[in-house]
Amino acid sequence: NNGTKALSYCPSLVIDRRCATGGLPGCQTMVAEPYQDLTSLQVPMHRGAQSHVLPSCPSLVAPVYAPSKQRPQPAVLQIASAFHSRQHPAKMSTGIPNADAVLEGIDYVGIADGVSGVHSLGLTPDALPWELLRYCGKGLFAAAAKGEPRVKKTEKHGKQMQQMSEWLIQLIQEAFDTTEEYGATTLLLAAIKGSNLVTACLGDSGILILRPVAFYPLQLQPIFKTEPGRFDARRPVQIQRLHGCDVASAHEVISSANIGATPVRPGDILILGTDGSFDNL
């Protein structure tokens, strides 16, 4: 079946995804993961079907491969992103620029929340956030082109995390050393490395990863959330370049970043936001 004709009765429809150029009209379509082994789901075999089918499912779009053919390798994970930023009305009335900055790439994203208080020092609050993210993006792009970091899959998880952490912290430190603007900002980076999303969190911005629930794709379950970094209850961790603050102090702050690595897969939803997003929504 090529998915273009409706069936009078079908508890579950199994078709070849290569023939399904669009969604199926008139039904809630659940798209199974590419190359997922349906036999591992331990569901009954429908008479006449080429593969196992799922009961109580309006329709299932799943890959069908001949047993003799080798399955193709999964595609490289990529990120499709969009962003929106809105300044608090109280800050808008003061004339202080919106200090939010965003970084977008095909396999990395990032946000930085500049400190508006530096405006009283004659500094532009959004200058350092945008410049820092720009150089972080250049570092992440160059690392992807070189295949870095080179982490061996045979290494233990703790060793892999250590290598990931050292690589990302060094990348942020080098990006900061390249910047020239003065100011203060939080920083959150996320980059896909293999099947993992590697994150670095400096401050109270955060990332939340949501995943569609199996067989209930309209329901989402949280699988990861970063922990905010704070000096105390009222002071989030910030990267600073101010008069009287040396580079060594900034490097020390960057080295304290919360680093994480979370397995991700197609369909996962990444929500990055400043502290205002998570405090008010």
Side-chain angles (χ1 to χ4, degrees), residues 17 30-38 60-63 211-212 214 265-266:
R17 280 188 72 174
M30 184 180 74
V31 181
E33 291 182 34
Y35 324 118
Q36 181 178 7
D37 185 5
L38 298 181
L60 171 67
V61 179
R211 177 169 296 165
R265 59 194 190 191

Side-chain angles (χ1 to χ4, degrees), residues 149-257:
R150 293 181 173 86
V151 179
K152 295 181 180 180
K153 295 183 179 180
T154 56
E155 296 279 6
K156 293 184 179 180
H157 177 72
K159 182 67 173 179
Q160 292 181 6
M161 279 300 304
Q162 180 182 353
Q163 294 173 345
M164 287 284 190
S165 177
E166 292 174 352
W167 163 74
L168 196 49
I169 287 175
Q170 182 180 357
L171 185 147
I172 299 172
Q173 289 175 340
E174 292 176 353
F176 177 80
D177 292 344
T178 311
T179 61
E180 298 179 351
E181 296 288 350
Y182 280 74
T185 182
T186 64
L187 179 68
L188 177 64
L189 291 179
I192 294 177
K193 294 299 174 183
S195 60
N196 291 318
L197 186 74
V198 183
T199 58
C201 182
L202 281 158
D204 51 6
S205 294
I207 180 171
L208 175 65
I209 304 179
L210 302 176
R211 177 169 296 165
V213 178
F215 312 133
Y216 300 96
L218 299 182
Q219 297 183 20
L220 302 174
Q221 61 179 353
I223 63 170
F224 175 76
K225 186 178 185 298
T226 53
E227 292 295 330
R230 300 180 183 275
F231 292 121
D232 54 46
R234 302 187 63 179
R235 293 191 306 154
V237 173
Q238 298 166 355
I239 306 173
Q240 299 180 353
R241 175 179 282 111
L242 298 171
H243 295 290
C245 298
D246 56 14
V247 175
S249 299
H251 279 207
E252 184 178 355
V253 170
I254 294 172
S255 64
S256 67

Side-chain angles (χ1 to χ4, degrees), residues 39-175:
T39 59
S40 64
L41 298 177
Q42 298 181 353
V43 295
M45 176 73 78
H46 188 277
R47 181 176 299 176
Q50 299 181 28
S51 177
H52 281 71
V53 297
L54 306 180
S56 302
C57 174
S59 66
L60 171 67
V61 179
V64 178
Y65 299 100
S68 60
K69 294 183 178 180
Q70 185 177 2
R71 297 180 181 181
Q73 294 297 320
V76 176
L77 289 172
Q78 295 183 343
I79 298 175
S81 61
F83 78 93
H84 175 73
S85 177
R86 177 177 295 180
Q87 192 177 24
H88 194 284
K91 290 185 178 179
M92 292 178 62
S93 62
T94 64
I96 298 176
N98 187 349
D100 292 342
V102 179
L103 172 69
E104 296 180 286
I106 60 173
D107 57 2
Y108 57 83
V109 287
I111 57 174
D113 185 10
V115 178
S116 300
V118 302
H119 186 264
S120 63
L121 302 176
L123 303 175
T124 305
D126 64 338
L128 179 62
W130 280 109
E131 188 181 28
L132 180 58
L133 280 181
R134 183 168 67 253
Y135 284 115
C136 284
K138 290 183 177 181
L140 290 169
F141 184 85
K146 298 175 183 177
E148 297 176 347
R150 293 181 173 86
V151 179
K152 295 181 180 180
K153 295 183 179 180
T154 56
E155 296 279 6
K156 293 184 179 180
H157 177 72
K159 182 67 173 179
Q160 292 181 6
M161 279 300 304
Q162 180 182 353
Q163 294 173 345
M164 287 284 190
S165 177
E166 292 174 352
W167 163 74
L168 196 49
I169 287 175
Q170 182 180 357
L171 185 147
I172 299 172
Q173 289 175 340
E174 292 176 353

